Amino acid sequence: MPFSLFLRLALFSVALCGQLFVAAAETAIAPYQADPHTLHLWHLDEAKAPFRDEGPTQTDMLGLFNGARPSQNSYPGLGKAISFNHNVGGTPGNSDLMGAVLIAKEELAEGAADRVDSSFQYFGEDGAFTFEAVVKLDQHPSEAEVIALSILSMDGEDNERIFNFRIERQGFLTFNPLPDSGSTGGAMATIPTVGPHALNTKDWFHVAVTYNGREETSANLRLYWTRLDSGATEANLIGGGTLSNDLNGRLGDLAIGNEARNHFNAEAEPFCGNIDEVRISSLARHETDYLFVPGEMRVPSEKFDPSPSNKARSDGKILTITEMRVDGKPVALPDRPGSSPLTLPPGIHRIDFDLQFNSQLQSLSGLSDIRCQMEGFDESWRNADAGMSLTFQVLDAQDRIVSQNRHLVNGSSDGWKTPISESTFGPRAEPLFIPLTGRKLRISLDSGPPDTTGNFAISQLNLSLASDSANSFWPNSNLADGENLDSPAGVPRGWTRSGGDPAIAQVDRSSTSRFLVLVDGEQSKSGSWISEIDLDPEIHLGKTISCTWKESYNVFAKGVHQSSFLNVSSGDYVFRAVGLINGELIDGPDLVQAFRVRPALSERAWFWPALTSATVALFALALFRHARRLNRRRLRQMWFENAIEQDRIRIARDMHDDLGNRICFLRMTAARAKEEAERDPAKLKQHLGKLGASARELVNAMNELVWAVDPKYDTLDHLASHLTRVAEDVFGDSTILCRFDIPSRVPDYVLGSDYRHHISLAVKEALYNVVKHAGPCEVHLSLDCSDDQLNIEVRDNGCGFDPKQTDPICNGLKNLVGRMKDLGGSCKIISSLGKGTQVCLSAPLPTQDESSCPIL
């Protein structure tokens, strides 16, 4: 086979394999095919309207407006998509924005003209439904300049507001039944930000909301968010909620990618990205019944029971502690009963226990209560709490709870209706005492244990002094200020969301006021609203305040009960709980949990004696150090006085021994000159010469004395210069040649006058010995500093001497050795007959402190 032909076949094989691989990738996920449960299905593959409905009623989408762009690339295998990240005017983030939208009618209209046809169905015979789509975001919701990102809606003017399935800018996926739907509640869940299904702008996601058609039961709504290429074999459940009733079937303006509520010609919720494969089904589809799950792994949705499963655990006991929390943080409980007690850190704690009946007792009728006590803290038995709560807490400067009033709700309030905006809000008032240690007031609206579901709403919250109930000091009590307050995801000023699923905490409104509401349909998570204010010490402390509000609720408390104990200090405790049916104890062992709060250091028996001993020891040490400082100060003063005295004595000795002798010699020479002038005038000139020489020597001696005591010469550099001058003076009138080996730059040492004086006289003594005894010769004077040691050497090549036959005293060497010894140094003399003499002087250089005072 020719090589060129072989090469062509190889290239063709590679290209074919590549095309097969691409084809396989593109068909990994295929578009939906209508099944018996499909009501509507839009593939959105057309290049322009109409966009065909593959469902049985064939409600084609006829109107593509405000810059919406079809024929955009979709996920491989799904054909084309529509981009809604466009508009044709208005202000982003306001209701006048005219964003891209796809509707069922050919024109947008103010009124019923663009309402969907009367034959349109969007739920099954029992009210169940599934709304779903495939989406890809162009930007993070928080960066989108829109009110919200609507996926599918039926909204309109007048009495046409039915539902909205959308993404909130805060990162929530929500399904909202609107005022004309005949239902209330809804579902809101936080979109994942980490993990395989984390929200991003590069991947395609499948989104869905399902309703199982079981009205008046909790957790009947579910929200799903799944990344298409994550390899998931079932939809990723991110949360849920409760729909109080089936949707009533009323119709509005059906829209994909926006709302079609033409308010002043505005469509203000465009989806900031692409949408594809929109499907509406007549039942709550199973987690596997979606396009990203391989066909052989799908479970038929009609065989799926979407009711919440019972997750209560059973270990053979009547009651179980599902969780114990210390200051709001979970702690690990011992694995085996009878093991060492749980040990908690020192401090003042809040201890919470979540309690649950075992699964075999959950279904018993008449089950009414759990009672508990904590031995060592409160011997009385109390009922464990169940349901949602509104809690008022006073905190001290360390954020410890010093006063509390907790209001629990369970069941339905009088006047409860759906939607909640039509409920009657009943008034409520509770007192709260503020201790003198109070610094802040915290209010929390909490959905209770994770398995508690339902709705709890409060409005018109006011706090006032009991003596002045007309004036409320609680800010923003009417919830008029805040961000995006017309949306359930809004945030009133002063309030924050918290809990395992913050989306449970929502904002809603009636015809007269706004209110905070907990919409909890998720049995595994909880959420809350929290707000704090600072207390005014001059107004509030030591007073009782009145807490008033209006409330409406429909709460389903399941198996988990809570028992809380505030301000638990150090000690040993035993928590006990028992179950009751119709007021009678259930036979079986009690639930017992022992624990210990370690005492703080100040609470231990040895602490105060040890502190007293340490205080006395520190006081004694302080006295000792003070006395030591005084003594050191006195010693320093004495040292200075002694140093001055020594200098005075030395100066007096030098003046007496040297200057005095020279002056005496001058006087004797002058007297002899006077005598010779009368007796022998010829000798007068000789005596006058001696007199002048003696005067010069006296001046030099005076200079030596001044140099020794003048502090401006207290450096090693000046000492080196002075020794050079001394050598020049000593050998000036002789035939001896002196050579110097002194560095041009010497270390910057500070020397005391006494140190300089001894070194100078020692060197001078060595030089004079050369003049007196060495004879004609050559002399080397060297100076060196190393290892904080001053080394001076005087070396000649004169006649030398035998040290063994010479008396040092007679040779004038005793003073030289003594001076070096006074400086803590040494003097070494090396000589032999005919080979010269070497005098080595060595002394430690003083440190800065030593040069001033040796007493630290």
Side-chain angles (χ1 to χ4, degrees):
M1 179 185 297
F3 178 76
S4 59
L5 180 59
F6 174 79
L7 181 60
R8 290 178 183 179
L9 288 175
L11 293 175
F12 176 77
S13 299
V14 171
L16 180 60
C17 290
Q19 291 178 358
L20 292 174
F21 176 79
V22 171
E26 290 180 348
T27 57
I29 292 181
Y32 280 127
Q33 299 296 321
D35 62 17
H37 310 296
T38 301
L39 295 176
H40 304 281
L41 173 61
W42 297 279
H43 296 302
L44 305 180
D45 291 333
E46 293 81 0
K48 61 180 181 178
F51 293 87
R52 181 175 174 79
D53 179 7
E54 300 290 341
T57 60
Q58 296 187 351
T59 303
D60 296 341
M61 304 298 285
L62 304 178
L64 190 65
F65 301 113
N66 299 344
R69 297 178 183 176
S71 300
Q72 304 298 307
N73 289 332
S74 185
Y75 188 83
L78 297 184
K80 299 298 182 179
I82 297 178
S83 171
F84 295 91
N85 192 16
H86 313 280
N87 66 80
V88 293
T91 305
N94 290 322
S95 60
D96 64 343
L97 181 67
M98 292 180 288
V101 64
L102 175 62
I103 67 172
K105 294 298 182 180
E106 295 181 353
E107 296 293 338
L108 287 164
E110 181 78 27
D114 54 354
R115 182 188 304 168
V116 73
D117 293 340
S118 59
S119 61
F120 188 82
Q121 292 180 295
Y122 52 99
F123 51 78
E125 294 181 359
D126 60 352
F129 60 78
T130 297
F131 300 156
E132 60 181 297
V134 173
V135 302
K136 180 179 181 294
L137 293 166
D138 290 340
Q139 57 192 142
H140 193 279
S142 62
E143 300 172 352
E145 295 183 341
V146 294
I147 294 177
L149 292 73
S150 183
I151 301 169
L152 180 66
S153 68
M154 188 180 292
D155 198 356
E157 303 76 32
D158 301 325
N159 298 322
E160 301 175 355
R161 308 203 64 196
I162 314 303
F163 68 83
N164 200 322
F165 180 39
R166 67 188 189 181
I167 296 174
E168 304 289 348
R169 294 182 63 248
Q170 291 81 3
F172 302 140
L173 180 66
T174 65
F175 176 78
N176 301 314
L178 298 177
D180 303 313
S181 65
S183 185
T184 188
M188 181 164 65
T190 303
I191 298 173
T193 56
V194 295
H197 305 287
L199 184 151
N200 62 67
T201 58
K202 60 182 178 61
D203 292 316
W204 284 84
F205 295 88
H206 175 268
V207 294
V209 56
T210 67
Y211 168 63
N212 61 19
R214 300 183 180 182
E215 56 185 348
E216 300 297 345
T217 63
S218 60
N220 49 27
L221 279 172
R222 292 189 174 193
L223 293 170
Y224 298 95
W225 177 275
T226 311
R227 198 179 89 235
L228 287 186
D229 59 357
S230 64
T233 56
E234 64 178 31
N236 178 50
L237 177 67
I238 62 172
T242 300
L243 205 60
S244 61
N245 299 90
D246 295 343
L247 300 179
N248 58 17
R250 184 174 291 178
L251 301 177
D253 300 341
L254 179 68
I256 296 175
N258 204 334
E259 63 176 4
R261 188 184 184 196
N262 194 289
H263 182 65
F264 302 111
N265 196 32
E267 297 78 39
E269 297 178 1
F271 187 86
C272 297
N274 296 345
I275 298 179
D276 195 8
E277 292 297 311
V278 180
R279 182 171 70 166
I280 298 177
S281 303
S282 61
L283 80 174
R285 293 213 177 245
H286 188 259
E287 280 91 339
T288 68
D289 195 9
Y290 296 108
L291 77 173
F292 54 86
V293 179
E296 65 275 7
M297 302 181 66
R298 297 183 187 179
V299 175
S301 293
E302 60 268 18
K303 296 183 180 180
F304 170 50
D305 181 4
S307 60
S309 61
N310 187 347
K311 298 181 181 180
R313 55 185 185 141
S314 173
D315 55 7
K317 296 181 180 180
I318 296 173
L319 294 170
T320 301
I321 298 177
T322 59
E323 186 173 76
M324 177 180 176
R325 294 182 299 279
V326 178
D327 300 326
K329 297 180 180 178
V331 297
L333 295 172
D335 294 333
R336 300 187 311 275
S339 58
S340 58
L342 179 67
T343 302
L344 304 180
I348 307 297
H349 301 295
R350 170 177 173 163
I351 311 293
D352 297 297
F353 294 92
D354 286 355
L355 309 170
Q356 187 177 55
F357 283 95
N358 283 338
S359 57
Q360 63 267 28
L361 298 175
Q362 296 269 350
S363 60
L364 291 178
S365 61
L367 184 62
S368 60
D369 212 348
I370 296 176
R371 291 185 183 174
C372 54
Q373 71 160 188
M374 195 159 78
E375 181 181 324
F377 180 81
D378 185 358
E379 303 296 331
S380 62
W381 290 84
R382 63 171 71 174
N383 290 337
D385 300 332
M388 299 185 181
S389 64
L390 176 63
T391 305
F392 303 87
Q393 295 174 332
V394 181
L395 311 178
D396 64 8
Q398 287 75 42
D399 283 343
R400 295 177 299 190
I401 301 171
V402 294
S403 179
Q404 173 174 288
N405 191 334
R406 191 178 188 193
H407 171 60
L408 291 164
V409 296
N410 196 4
S412 297
S413 62
D414 293 337
W416 170 263
K417 293 182 180 180
T418 56
I420 193 172
S421 57
E422 297 181 4
S423 295
T424 300
F425 280 67
R428 183 83 187 195
E430 292 287 341
L432 179 67
F433 177 72
I434 301 180
L436 295 177
T437 56
R439 293 296 178 268
K440 291 188 292 187
L441 176 61
R442 176 189 295 161
I443 298 181
S444 59
L445 184 66
D446 188 84
S447 65
D451 73 339
T452 298
T453 58
N455 301 271
F456 181 23
I458 65 167
S459 67
Q460 300 179 33
L461 175 64
N462 290 286
L463 303 180
S464 61
L465 294 175
S467 58
D468 187 15
S469 59
N471 295 317
S472 173
F473 61 85
W474 185 258
N476 198 23
S477 60
N478 59 0
L479 306 181
D481 299 330
E483 178 184 351
N484 197 21
L485 294 180
D486 290 331
S487 167
V491 182
R493 179 174 57 84
W495 290 88
T496 58
R497 289 182 171 88
S498 184
D501 186 2
I504 290 172
Q506 303 181 20
V507 179
D508 206 338
R509 67 178 303 163
S510 65
S511 59
T512 58
S513 64
R514 287 191 179 91
F515 50 85
L516 300 177
V517 60
L518 301 175
V519 180
D520 188 355
E522 172 57 54
Q523 289 192 321
S524 62
K525 296 180 181 179
S526 60
S528 62
W529 281 110
I530 296 177
S531 184
E532 283 187 5
I533 64 169
D534 294 326
L535 294 169
D536 189 335
E538 297 182 359
I539 298 176
H540 302 130
L541 301 190
K543 305 290 182 61
T544 297
I545 64 172
S546 175
C547 310
T548 64
W549 68 95
K550 292 187 176 182
E551 64 183 17
S552 183
Y553 55 86
N554 182 38
V555 177
F556 303 90
K558 299 297 183 181
V560 177
H561 297 242
Q562 284 185 344
S563 184
S564 301
F565 300 88
L566 304 178
N567 302 326
V568 179
S569 59
S570 61
D572 296 313
Y573 305 97
V574 178
F575 174 78
R576 291 186 174 88
V578 297
L580 297 91
I581 296 179
N582 295 325
E584 296 184 3
L585 289 175
I586 303 174
D587 292 335
D590 296 348
L591 174 64
V592 178
Q593 176 61 56
F595 66 95
R596 181 173 184 264
V597 179
R598 293 200 310 269
L601 289 177
S602 60
E603 298 175 331
R604 304 190 181 187
W606 52 264
F607 176 78
W608 290 109
L611 180 62
T612 302
S613 301
T615 302
V616 172
L618 289 175
F619 183 71
L621 179 62
L623 289 178
F624 172 76
R625 291 177 64 87
H626 179 68
R628 188 166 181 262
R629 281 196 300 270
L630 292 178
N631 291 335
R632 290 163 67 87
R633 190 177 302 166
R634 295 192 187 99
L635 288 173
R636 181 182 287 272
Q637 183 64 30
M638 292 172 62
W639 184 89
F640 278 119
E641 292 175 355
N642 181 67
I644 293 173
E645 184 67 22
Q646 292 296 325
D647 278 345
R648 292 175 63 186
I649 292 174
R650 179 174 58 78
I651 292 170
R653 184 180 67 239
D654 290 346
M655 292 182 69
H656 179 271
D657 295 344
D658 192 7
L659 298 183
N661 290 336
R662 294 180 187 278
I663 293 173
C664 182
F665 180 79
L666 283 173
R667 187 178 63 187
M668 293 174 61
T669 302
R672 190 173 297 177
K674 183 178 179 182
E675 293 176 359
E676 295 293 338
E678 296 177 354
R679 186 173 43 194
D680 190 359
K683 294 183 178 180
L684 178 62
K685 185 177 180 180
Q686 181 180 358
H687 288 295
L688 290 175
K690 290 182 179 180
L691 190 63
S694 297
R696 288 195 299 273
E697 291 179 357
L698 178 62
V699 171
N700 290 336
M702 285 294 296
N703 289 336
E704 287 279 345
L705 182 62
V706 171
W707 176 85
V709 298
D710 193 342
K712 74 178 182 180
Y713 299 118
D714 284 349
T715 64
L716 181 59
D717 184 52
H718 282 96
L719 175 61
S721 300
H722 176 74
L723 294 180
T724 303
R725 290 194 300 270
V726 168
E728 291 173 349
D729 290 340
V730 170
F731 300 116
D733 296 331
S734 70
T735 60
I736 297 175
L737 178 63
C738 183
R739 299 183 183 278
F740 300 100
D741 185 10
I742 298 176
S744 59
R745 295 180 62 86
V746 295
D748 188 16
Y749 279 97
V750 177
L751 307 176
S753 61
D754 191 56
Y755 188 96
R756 293 188 293 111
H757 180 71
H758 282 300
I759 292 293
S760 175
L761 293 182
V763 172
K764 184 183 291 188
E765 180 72 26
L767 295 176
Y768 272 122
N769 283 337
V770 174
V771 174
K772 292 176 184 179
H773 305 294
C777 64
E778 184 176 293
V779 179
H780 288 265
L781 173 62
S782 64
L783 182 147
D784 175 62
C785 296
S786 61
D787 299 329
D788 294 331
Q789 192 84 4
L790 177 62
N791 301 305
I792 299 175
E793 183 182 285
V794 179
R795 184 180 76 253
D796 67 73
N797 57 3
C799 61
F801 65 93
D802 186 358
K804 296 181 180 179
Q805 299 179 2
T806 303
D807 184 1
I809 298 177
C810 297
N811 292 321
L813 299 178
K814 181 178 180 180
N815 288 339
L816 191 150
V817 174
R819 290 184 185 279
M820 299 309 297
K821 188 176 181 179
D822 290 342
L823 296 179
S826 64
C827 173
K828 185 177 181 181
I829 301 174
I830 303 172
S831 183
S832 60
L833 290 174
K835 294 184 179 181
T837 303
Q838 182 179 358
V839 179
C840 299
L841 307 176
S842 179
L845 287 166
T847 62
Q848 184 66 33
D849 290 337
E850 290 174 342
S851 66
S852 58
C853 177
I855 302 173
L856 300 178

